[in-house]
Amino acid sequence: MTFDVPADAYARFMGRFSGPLAVQFADLAQVRAGQRALDVGCGPGALTSQLVKRLGAAAVSAVDPSVPFVAAIRSRFPEVDVRSGAAEQLPFTDDTFDVTLAQLVVHFMTDPVSGLSEMGRVTRPDGVVAACVWDSAGDGGPLDSFWRAVRDIDPDARDESQLSGAREGQLAQLCEAAGLRDIEPTSLTVTVWFPTFADWWEPFTLGVGPAGAHVAQLDEVQREVLRSRCEQLLPPAPFEIAASAWCVLARA
Ligand SMILES: C[S@@+](CC[C@H](N)C(=O)[O-])C[C@H]1O[C@@H](n2cnc3c(N)ncnc32)[C@H](O)[C@@H]1O
């Protein structure tokens, strides 16, 4: 499991993109005071923190299978109801939430249709189910330059483009198969600034997610070849990376 890493490593690698995305995603789902919300695949809490800000900790629940992430989010938000578990078998009763969200999670589910169907089950009738996944099949994901460099070196390498929901329209198809209603596809874009190339590269060496797992299995020479190819592909520092996510809003 590539999310069995310290919360701090995740924050440095993906949190810099998922933090700003969470603000836009919570806006898109129209999360507002008085609602009860569930963050599915909460990780160390990028979206949970937005939910807490808008709803108060007592109205927020969160669930994730990663042991270090669950420990981190429990200590960060002691009043949030944090559970250990997977989307495919959510540890909540039917119709519990007004809004259930999964930010950057559907593509990591073992069974995305049953995960989304479970999100619908725990959401009250007509409540909102929302999900988003980076555009890793196009050229809009935050790790696009990294995977392009990997493929330049090894055209057979497995990247994240084949993951469920990474292609335009796929999230909506999965929601439909999961029995959700009033499905509205859209997209969101965040921009992150990098002062130096090292700031961009170093978190790839922390073993987080499929990209981190790829770097971890390279020897020192291969790693240097990849690092240098990435540097060639990126603009000179400082630079910005715009990252887009496919999103879907649906009703339970
Ligand atoms: C890219 S991270 C996203 C974390 C957080 N939502 C964010 O936006 O920063 C993916 C998360 O999905 C979790 N995950 C993986 N498989 C899952 C599953 N089947 N059900 C729920 N969460 C899962 C991982 O443990 C990890 O925390």
Side-chain angles (χ1 to χ4, degrees):
M1 125 97 96
T2 48
F3 292 104
D4 193 9
V5 293
D8 176 56
Y10 180 84
R12 289 170 60 201
F13 176 69
M14 186 48 68
R16 52 198 179 167
F17 292 97
S18 69
L21 181 66
V23 178
Q24 293 191 29
F25 190 43
D27 285 345
L28 182 74
Q30 297 187 355
V31 175
R32 56 189 180 280
Q35 291 182 320
R36 169 146 205 89
L38 171 64
D39 183 3
V40 175
C42 57
L47 177 61
T48 315
S49 101
Q50 280 304 311
L51 300 177
V52 167
K53 203 182 246 179
R54 292 160 197 237
L55 309 179
V60 177
S61 297
V63 60
D64 199 285
S66 159
V67 173
F69 289 176
V70 165
I73 198 170
R74 277 188 178 140
S75 92
R76 184 176 173 194
F77 299 111
E79 286 167 37
V80 169
D81 167 28
V82 181
R83 313 275 181 99
S84 177
E88 294 84 348
Q89 224 176 343
L90 288 173
F92 300 97
T93 53
D94 297 1
D95 307 340
T96 303
F97 302 100
D98 299 297
V99 54
T100 301
L101 308 100
Q103 174 172 288
L104 309 177
V105 180
V106 170
H107 51 319
F108 295 118
M109 292 180 187
T110 315
D111 182 346
V113 172
S114 77
L116 286 162
S117 160
E118 274 288 275
M119 288 173 67
R121 177 186 67 75
V122 301
T123 307
R124 66 161 169 77
D126 275 341
V128 171
V129 174
C132 64
V133 170
W134 293 125
D135 170 23
S136 306
D139 55 5
L143 311 181
D144 184 52
S145 301
F146 171 83
W147 286 117
R148 209 162 350 126
V150 168
R151 286 192 303 270
D152 285 352
I153 295 162
D154 175 4
D156 295 328
R158 208 164 152 197
D159 59 20
E160 298 180 51
S161 62
Q162 299 308 317
L163 298 177
S164 297
R167 195 168 295 280
E168 184 169 15
Q170 271 184 342
L171 264 183
Q173 287 166 2
L174 293 167
C175 286
E176 204 172 325
L180 299 173
R181 299 181 302 106
D182 297 348
I183 300 161
E184 284 177 47
T186 182
S187 65
L188 295 172
T189 299
V190 296
T191 302
V192 178
W193 187 76
F194 294 88
T196 67
F197 172 75
D199 286 310
W200 179 89
W201 167 256
E202 198 264 339
F204 282 88
T205 64
L206 302 175
V208 185
H214 180 85
V215 173
Q217 48 88 42
L218 300 176
D219 64 30
E220 229 171 278
V221 174
Q222 292 169 322
R223 198 182 279 212
E224 179 48 30
V225 169
L226 176 58
R227 193 198 70 79
S228 148
R229 182 68 189 131
C230 288
E231 194 165 15
Q232 286 168 358
L233 289 177
L234 284 161
F239 56 85
E240 284 184 340
I241 292 192
S244 298
W246 303 120
C247 305
V248 78
L249 287 182
R251 298 219 168 255

